[in-house]
């Protein structure tokens, strides 16, 4: 009689241990899923922060160029460019930050200096004498147009996420700057664009 009772107790203890092991495995699975979700949320937050930072850079760049043009209103046509970006090479005969310049020299220097900012190049960030991108836009392209005082600055760059075709009908996509160059993925679905328009009257 005692042996039967002892045998039943053993079976019960083994069954409890099996149930406990299943519960631990389920808890570990839930924890793993939670951690995976947290990692995906952090990745999405970082991507959103990067996208916002890039748009802020583009906005500041566009405003900077418009202010340069306002300060040199007789040379508005000299600031007009198409597809200015990583493959473009600009030079300035005179460093207008260190000496006085004529209006046309200032326009050329402004565009050169602004192009360096567009690419994220600064005098402090050089390696072996060659400048490299530090905080610019990803694959930027800039287009500046002027007509009878109406000035438009369009800046395109590559984003991290694909956008739907519906975004192309948005007012901010009124410029084709940077399109059809193979820079922004299939059908330019990674293209981000900022366009600022203003009027600058000649003195």
């Amino acid at each position: 009689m005692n042996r039967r009772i002892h045998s039943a107790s053993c079976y019960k203890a083994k069954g409890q241990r099996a149930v406990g092991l299943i519960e631990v495995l389920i808890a570990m699975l839930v924890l793993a899923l939670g951690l995976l979700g947290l990692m995906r949320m952090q990745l999405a937050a970082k991507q959103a922060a990067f996208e916002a930072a890039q748009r802020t850079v583009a906005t500041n760049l566009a405003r900077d160029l418009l202010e340069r043009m306002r300060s040199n209103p007789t040379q508005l046509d000299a600031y007009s460019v198409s597809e200015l970006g990583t493959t473009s090479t600009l030079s300035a005969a005179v460093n207008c930050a260190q000496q006085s310049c004529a209006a046309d020299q200032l326009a050329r220097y402004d565009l050169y200096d602004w192009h360096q900012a567009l690419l994220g190049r600064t005098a402090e960030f050089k390696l072996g004498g060659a400048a490299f991108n530090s905080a610019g836009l990803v694959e930027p392209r800039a287009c500046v147009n002027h007509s009878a005082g109406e000035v438009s600055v369009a800046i395109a760059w590559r984003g991290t996420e694909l956008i739907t075709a519906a975004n192309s009908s948005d007012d901010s996509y009124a410029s084709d700057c940077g399109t059809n160059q193979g820079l922004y993925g299939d059908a330019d679905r990674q293209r981000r664009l900022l366009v600022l328009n203003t009027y600058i009257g000649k003195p």
Side-chain angles (χ1 to χ4, degrees):
M1 183 68 179
N2 291 335
R3 291 181 178 176
R4 293 178 180 177
I5 295 175
H6 178 71
S7 178
S9 299
C10 289
Y11 287 136
K12 185 176 181 181
K14 290 180 180 178
Q16 288 176 341
R17 285 198 296 269
V19 171
L21 181 59
I22 292 174
E23 291 177 346
V24 170
L25 291 174
I26 292 175
M28 291 179 63
L29 177 61
V30 172
L31 178 61
L33 292 174
L35 291 174
L36 181 60
L38 180 62
M39 290 175 61
R40 293 187 64 181
M41 183 177 66
Q42 289 180 333
L43 178 60
K46 287 182 178 181
Q47 288 178 337
F50 178 75
E51 291 274 8
Q54 290 277 280
R55 184 162 292 277
T56 299
V57 170
T59 301
N60 291 336
L61 284 169
R63 288 176 176 173
D64 176 48
L65 185 60
L66 288 174
E67 288 306 312
R68 292 174 187 250
M69 296 175 73
R70 288 184 191 280
S71 299
N72 196 10
T74 62
Q75 299 293 316
L76 295 181
D77 288 336
Y79 290 91
S80 297
V81 291
S82 178
E83 305 298 341
L84 182 66
T86 54
T87 58
S88 305
T89 56
L90 296 179
S91 61
V94 181
N95 186 342
C96 297
Q98 299 179 354
Q99 64 185 75
S100 298
C101 294
D104 59 331
Q105 293 175 323
L106 179 59
R108 186 171 180 178
Y109 173 78
D110 278 342
L111 207 54
Y112 163 78
D113 190 50
W114 188 77
H115 181 225
Q116 298 303 300
L118 180 71
L119 301 179
R121 294 174 179 170
T122 65
E124 291 77 18
F125 290 90
K126 289 192 175 183
L127 184 63
F132 65 94
N133 295 9
S134 59
L137 298 171
V138 179
E139 289 293 349
R141 289 294 183 273
C143 303
V144 183
N145 297 305
H146 164 251
S147 177
E150 296 288 341
V151 179
S152 173
V153 177
I155 302 176
W157 69 95
R158 188 174 67 222
T160 58
E161 296 291 327
L162 298 178
I163 58 174
T164 60
N167 291 111
S168 61
S169 62
D170 191 274
D171 290 340
S172 63
Y173 283 77
S175 171
D176 60 358
C177 190
T179 59
N180 303 318
Q181 297 187 33
L183 297 172
Y184 309 123
D186 184 40
D188 291 322
R189 291 182 61 196
Q190 285 181 271
R191 185 176 76 123
R192 302 294 186 269
L193 184 72
L194 175 83
V195 180
L196 291 186
N197 300 301
T198 191
Y199 177 81
I200 299 177
K202 291 185 177 181

